[in-house]
Amino acid sequence: MRNVMMIHHRVFFCSTKPLSILASLTHPHLRLSYSAAASSPNRPIHCMASDSPLSQPLTGGDGSVSVPPPSPASSASSAIDFLSLCSRLKTTPRAGWGKRDVKNPESIADHMYRMGLMALISSDIPGVNRDKCIKMAIVHDIAEAIVGDITPSCGIPKEEKNRRESEALEHMCKLLGGGERAEEIAELWREYEANASPEAKVVKDFDKLELILQALEYEQEQGKDLEEFFESTAGKFQTDIGKAWALEIASRRRKQQH
């Protein structure tokens, strides 16, 4: 009898189009199954590996098990599956703007892209790896491709939000095929969530800066009063660059109001 390695992983989806993501999961070695109950918000969808050549370990004469490296074709397949899943970041609006009736709100990918630009153009900071900041900026919200943009107004406890995002991230890394790149993404995400490094603190500030800069632009373009976003970030910047850029944005907003 052949030994078969099976992967059983649970992924939680938010209530906004929870099953639309299934069309993106086209990996030839994944079999998806779900019940009617899965259409309810946050019900699990089970993802299991099929009986495929890649799922069968090679056993040596000494009983040891070795796993062959992925072929270029399988690596390409995993990469495209992962990128197709990430496309949802381009089409999922940032939830906070929709709740304030902002027209044509930015997507999650829009937000992460400008954060990446912030890291790219920022001055060198002693003890901070700028390249790592750029990577962290484009990874920090990646789990939202599955769970959506969960904001404080959703009423979901922080621990539950983190649990859902952690499971989503794990699923995405498996979809990518594991390995060095997947582990790098996971480590960057965990480091950001834990605010555990100088780079994480800088990127946390960029997250807030992008929020208030976008709020200022929506105020200018659509005549909105988005004071709550400025109040929610006031006094929470951790770095000198964050504080300096926040002061500049606040200065421009005061000039606009007079």
Side-chain angles (χ1 to χ4, degrees):
M1 180 181 293
R2 296 181 300 175
N3 292 323
V4 179
M5 295 174 64
M6 302 295 290
I7 300 172
H8 189 200
H9 184 65
R10 301 179 65 189
V11 184
F12 287 80
F13 293 80
C14 66
S15 59
T16 56
K17 301 180 181 178
L19 296 182
S20 64
I21 193 174
L22 294 181
S24 299
L25 301 180
T26 56
H27 196 287
H29 308 301
L30 290 178
R31 180 176 71 253
L32 297 178
S33 62
Y34 58 92
S35 64
S39 61
S40 300
N42 305 320
R43 293 300 298 270
I45 291 179
H46 302 289
C47 186
M48 300 182 68
S50 64
D51 183 3
S52 69
L54 292 181
S55 68
Q56 301 166 19
L58 302 180
T59 304
D62 60 355
S64 63
V65 176
S66 62
V67 179
S71 67
S74 65
S75 296
S77 178
S78 295
I80 298 305
D81 288 341
F82 175 82
L83 294 172
S84 295
L85 174 52
C86 288
S87 71
R88 295 193 80 236
L89 297 167
K90 299 198 297 182
T91 58
T92 304
R94 294 256 286 163
W97 305 127
K99 293 175 182 178
R100 277 73 184 178
D101 297 321
V102 169
K103 298 177 183 177
N104 301 316
E106 65 171 344
S107 70
I108 298 167
D110 292 331
H111 169 67
M112 293 197 296
Y113 175 73
R114 186 153 66 172
M115 283 177 60
L117 287 179
M118 288 176 171
L120 180 64
I121 68 171
S122 62
S123 301
D124 291 335
I125 303 171
V128 173
N129 184 325
R130 189 169 61 93
D131 289 344
K132 185 177 180 181
C133 289
I134 296 171
K135 292 179 181 180
M136 191 176 288
I138 62 174
V139 162
H140 81 287
D141 278 343
I142 199 168
E144 293 181 11
I146 290 178
V147 303
D149 185 16
I150 301 174
T151 68
S153 61
C154 293
I156 296 174
K158 184 176 180 180
E159 295 75 13
E160 173 64 11
K161 175 179 181 291
N162 183 264
R163 185 187 67 79
R164 294 186 191 183
E165 291 181 347
S166 295
E167 291 198 0
L169 180 75
E170 182 180 352
H171 171 75
M172 295 177 78
C173 289
K174 288 181 178 179
L175 186 66
L176 186 56
E180 183 179 351
R181 292 292 175 262
E183 183 58 29
E184 181 181 24
I185 288 171
E187 286 300 319
L188 287 166
W189 185 86
R190 294 188 197 107
E191 192 173 305
Y192 174 84
E193 285 293 308
N195 198 24
S197 67
E199 290 82 7
K201 296 181 190 305
V202 169
V203 178
K204 287 275 188 183
D205 277 5
F206 287 158
D207 184 51
K208 298 179 183 68
L209 287 167
E210 206 289 322
L211 173 70
I212 61 174
L213 179 55
Q214 187 63 74
L216 174 62
E217 291 164 350
Y218 285 146
E219 286 185 336
Q220 293 170 336
E221 297 164 3
Q222 301 185 27
K224 300 287 185 181
D225 180 1
L226 300 172
E227 172 66 23
E228 62 187 286
F229 293 98
F230 296 92
E231 291 180 352
S232 67
T233 57
K236 295 183 179 179
F237 293 94
Q238 307 174 82
T239 66
D240 290 341
I241 191 171
K243 294 171 184 177
W245 288 17
L247 285 173
E248 176 63 22
I249 294 170
S251 175
R252 296 188 181 204
R253 186 169 185 250
R254 285 193 297 271
K255 291 178 182 177
Q256 172 185 301
Q257 293 173 334
H258 289 86

